Amino acid sequence: MEKVSKSSVLKFIVPSVIGILIFMIPVKYQGDWTICVKIIADIIGNALASVLPALCVVIITISAILSAASLAKPKFMKSHPLIWDTFATTPVWVVVRVVGAVFLWLTFLGIDAGDDDTGFIHMITEGGAGGFVLGDLLTVLVIIFAIAGLLLPLLLDFGLLEFVGALLTKIMRPVFKIPGRAAVDCFTSWIGDGTLGVMLTCNQYEGGYYSAREASVIATTFSAVSITFSIVVLAQVNLMEYFGLYYLLICLVGVVCAVVVPRIPPLSRKKDTYLVEGKAMGSEIPSQYKNSLDYGYSLAMDRVAEHKGIKQFLGNGIKNAMGMWFGVLPTVMAIGTLALLLANNTPIFEICGKPFLPLLELLQVPEAAEASKTMIVGFTDMFTPSIIAAESISSPMTRFIVATISVTQLIYLSEVGGLILGSKLPVNIVELFVIFLERTIISLLIVCPLAHLIF
């Protein structure tokens, strides 16, 4: 191992430890377990609560205007790489961003189609659709994206991922077919929030550290649901006394899905191509290193040596935050609202859930017909299945199954799915739906038999 200066070692250790403390170490705050970045976001969000809806309107309106303008490739945008990278996109995504802006303005201004509660504009702006996305999602995400985006370089830029990646490559590669550094994405999602995991994955993909296949696998498989939200889901079905078994079951299903789903289409068909060549870590430890610890330390020191100080740190943080603000928030507004419109006002998800009825009956799930209605609606929003179960299902075992499945399905358009679709990750909405179905079936085959043992 080559000798390095004390300042280089401190440059690796201090930011990395701060990043771990902020993003990955659970702390108890006001009676609930959470992470520091979420606490910071909540404090700022509460202080700015009255202006957050207006801030979202400004951000998404700017996104729609400049994204539309980017189609003409104006010189003022192309001459500023940060602006161009943030707003330049395909015509399809320009439409999505413009639709998100239209939905948001209708909701923000409270525009309605008169007194008729069945009017289309009313359905967009009501609390169960546009009102929910604006009031419950965007006003939370806008602060998380800003704070987490600015602070993510603590995890990304000072060698932590290189160090962890070298240590865990021999586990993550053969078992999950992804780099060892993905363990940081997973842990950040698990302790903190799935959106943070997606942000990490997007950053690593765009930087050339993950291939198209690896980024797709990590975002759809390892962006786990946080402990905090899992508690909320189980509390909704009034079964908190089972939380220990419930979360162990979620972890078991998550591991099985992470092993199986990347090995079957559509994820298995993704190519190992990179947006930036030459950045990815090899799957084997080079012969000049004694062990993975020696290799990881060397990689970390190389990354530290490349860093250009506070200017680069702030530049990367601002780029992260802008990408999520102007690229993802409009997508969440557009796709989340449309998905909830379909869920609330059409029988499409109830009809789509009918094919699950024979499987639920085969697995001897009580009230199988009611449970089948919750199977597909989770694609729109993770919390909706539990709301339906709490209102329409009396069997504790079935409510437990629905609460577990809704979390292990993982892909839901109102947040994580919307983030993936709004990013540069190479996954489309059809592929997301197929992955969602695969995870649902695998989850049912594991959860239902074990639920019979628990109840």
Side-chain angles (χ1 to χ4, degrees), residues 393-405:
I393 296 174
S394 59
S395 166
M397 185 176 92
T398 306
R399 294 203 309 273
F400 180 87
I401 290 170
V402 171
T404 308
I405 299 297

Side-chain angles (χ1 to χ4, degrees), residues 96-376:
V96 170
R97 292 179 184 186
V98 170
V99 169
V102 172
F103 285 174
L104 184 54
W105 272 105
L106 290 173
T107 303
F108 179 70
L109 295 176
I111 294 175
D112 204 285
D115 296 327
D116 181 10
D117 286 352
T118 63
F120 181 64
I121 294 178
H122 173 81
M123 288 191 288
I124 291 173
T125 60
E126 67 172 341
F132 171 79
V133 177
L134 174 58
D136 290 67
L137 290 178
L138 295 191
T139 51
V140 175
L141 291 176
V142 71
I143 296 298
I144 288 180
F145 286 168
I147 303 302
L150 290 170
L151 296 178
L152 267 179
L154 292 168
L155 291 179
L156 301 175
D157 291 359
F158 297 94
L160 178 65
L161 293 187
E162 284 74 11
F163 184 72
V164 172
L167 292 181
L168 296 180
T169 291
K170 288 188 176 180
I171 299 172
M172 302 295 280
R173 280 283 183 197
V175 178
F176 303 115
K177 307 188 85 174
I178 55 176
R181 66 198 294 132
V184 176
D185 300 47
C186 180
F187 201 74
T188 300
S189 298
W190 177 53
I191 296 296
D193 190 277
T195 58
L196 299 177
V198 174
M199 286 178 70
L200 261 173
T201 304
C202 292
N203 185 287
Q204 295 294 281
Y205 174 60
E206 291 173 26
Y209 299 99
Y210 293 153
S211 70
R213 180 191 60 78
E214 291 165 351
S216 302
V217 167
I218 296 162
T220 59
T221 306
F222 281 83
S223 296
V225 177
S226 70
I227 294 174
T228 305
F229 198 80
S230 300
I231 292 171
V232 173
V233 170
L234 194 63
Q236 176 65 30
V237 295
N238 198 27
L239 292 170
M240 276 303 295
E241 65 270 27
Y242 294 98
F243 182 76
L245 291 169
Y246 168 73
Y247 205 75
L248 282 174
L249 193 49
I250 288 170
C251 293
L252 171 63
V253 174
V255 170
V256 173
C257 286
V259 172
V260 175
V261 175
R263 289 173 165 81
I264 56 179
L267 290 178
S268 65
R269 292 180 178 170
K270 296 290 180 184
K271 304 295 184 184
D272 276 311
T273 54
Y274 293 85
L275 286 182
V276 181
E277 295 292 339
K279 291 281 189 175
M281 185 186 296
S283 57
E284 299 294 331
I285 298 172
S287 57
Q288 66 265 36
Y289 297 102
K290 299 174 188 175
N291 50 47
S292 57
L293 182 64
D294 188 27
Y295 181 42
Y297 182 78
S298 176
L299 289 174
M301 291 302 102
D302 289 344
R303 186 61 189 263
V304 164
E306 293 172 0
H307 201 270
K308 297 180 175 67
I310 190 69
K311 186 177 178 181
Q312 182 180 341
F313 178 88
L314 292 174
N316 289 343
I318 290 168
K319 184 179 178 181
N320 292 337
M322 284 184 65
M324 302 305 285
W325 264 21
F326 296 105
V328 175
L329 287 180
T331 304
V332 172
M333 186 68 208
I335 294 178
T337 301
L338 285 172
L340 291 172
L341 276 174
L342 291 173
N344 296 339
N345 300 287
T346 74
I348 186 169
F349 293 109
E350 185 176 335
I351 293 168
C352 290
K354 287 189 184 295
F356 284 93
L357 185 56
L359 177 59
L360 291 167
E361 289 176 340
L362 178 66
L363 294 169
Q364 299 181 346
V365 175
E367 301 178 67
E370 293 299 320
S372 69
K373 297 176 183 178
T374 70
M375 290 296 107
I376 300 297

Side-chain angles (χ1 to χ4, degrees), residues 40-52:
I40 296 168
D42 287 345
I43 291 170
I44 295 174
N46 291 334
L48 300 177
S50 60
V51 301
L52 290 181

